[in-house]
DNA sequence: CACGATTTGTTCGTATGTATG
DNA sequence: TCATACATACGAACAAATCGT
């Protein structure tokens, strides 16, 4: 499964394996990922290495920790739509811990920064929000 | 500077200190962050703890590793503008390692996924790109 | 209510590898 | 060749929270 002599680091190989299982749906959203102890035994590697692999998946926003119950595949919420207007600009970046707390954003989920034509800015969870540029004037 | 008895973990305290120095401009973009060894000595903590703090900053996109020369404050590139059209939608997420490689995106930098009205999608570095909804027809 | 089992978090130490200057 | 700096990996220990008995 994982090869200590491969060019790729063991923790990256394990992250790849778990990522594949998540993206293929074998590990469904909300489902528990095998525990760290379990993974150390299954692959014959140290807990340090397992934790590095999990850190990779957390940073990618693929899993969230439900401590101390376990780590679960992140279940993306249905996005809410925010309407863009003429002259708006958008960039994306990772939130600071304070912003994460305020917007209740999980690890590994970016924010979209919408700068309105008047210069004001708004922050949206990249995960929970979908920006929309309307095709026709409404109403 | 850092308090082992505080509620907050030492590596988070160190990450906070360095983040403050970066955001305040004391550590300017492109500038080298103190080396791991230096930080272990300065704060009397283990290298493990220092590395965890650095991992936090990398995941936030604040620093990039220039190995083995050191770790530097990430210098954001001047964003290129991509024009949104009517009916487009935008979400943001972290890229997979493959996408990171292809788009040459640093750790801790998200991507914006633009879905065009015709259903096609385009990926842009959240860092290097600014989406723009034009106020008037140009040219 | 007490206790143990489970699971993730934090921190230390140690060792070796790789790339740069 | 040597020093520096980050990467990977092992082991160990204790903390905190939750859950079942």
């Amino acid at each position: 499964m994982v090869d200590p002599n491969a060019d790729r680091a063991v923790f990256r190989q394990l992250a790849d394996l778990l990522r594949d299982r998540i993206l293929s749906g074998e590990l469904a959203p909300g489902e528990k990922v095998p525990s760290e102890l379990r993974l150390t035994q299954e692959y014959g590697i140290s807990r340090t290495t397992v934790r590095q692999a999990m850190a990779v998946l957390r940073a990618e926003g693929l899993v969230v920790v439900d401590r101390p119950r376990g780590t679960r595949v992140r279940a993306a919420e249905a996005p809410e739509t925010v309407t863009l207007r003429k002259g708006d600009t958008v960039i994306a970046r990772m939130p600071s811990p304070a912003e994460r707390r305020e917007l209740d954003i999980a690890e590994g989920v970016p924010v979209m920064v919408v700068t309105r034509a008047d210069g004001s800015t708004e922050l949206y969870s990249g995960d929970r929000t979908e920006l929309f540029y309307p095709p026709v004037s409404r109403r």
Side-chain angles (χ1 to χ4, degrees), chain A residues 17-29 31-32 34 42-43 73:
Chain A
L17 286 176
L18 293 171
R19 187 187 305 106
D20 285 346
R21 291 175 62 183
I22 292 171
L23 296 181
S24 76
E26 183 195 327
L27 284 173
E31 197 172 342
K32 280 211 290 195
E42 190 154 354
Y43 294 98
V73 178

Side-chain angles (χ1 to χ4, degrees), chain A residues 34-139:
Chain A
S35 77
E36 294 175 357
L37 179 60
R38 179 78 194 295
L39 291 170
T40 63
Q41 297 165 340
E42 190 154 354
Y43 294 98
I45 58 183
S46 74
R47 194 177 156 216
T48 309
T49 303
V50 170
R51 282 186 61 75
Q52 278 181 281
M54 301 300 284
V56 168
L57 300 180
R58 283 202 307 274
E60 290 175 14
L62 291 177
V63 302
V64 290
V65 175
D66 182 17
R67 182 181 174 218
R69 275 176 238 95
T71 300
R72 293 192 149 79
V73 178
R74 190 166 67 87
E77 303 162 54
E80 142 190 355
T81 300
V82 170
T83 301
L84 291 178
R85 300 188 291 268
K86 297 188 178 186
D88 293 347
T89 60
V90 185
I91 61 112
R93 62 167 172 78
M94 294 311 284
S96 70
E99 291 169 335
R100 279 238 316 274
R101 253 196 54 254
E102 267 181 73
L103 297 175
D104 193 32
I105 292 178
E107 252 187 283
V109 177
V111 291
M112 295 186 285
V113 185
V114 176
T115 303
R116 298 299 190 177
D118 65 8
S120 65
T121 63
E122 297 159 14
L123 271 195
Y124 298 102
S125 159
D127 168 44
R128 216 185 296 129
T129 319
E130 182 175 60
L131 304 184
F132 183 58
Y133 185 27
V136 295
S137 64
R138 341 186 96 173
R139 191 160 10 273

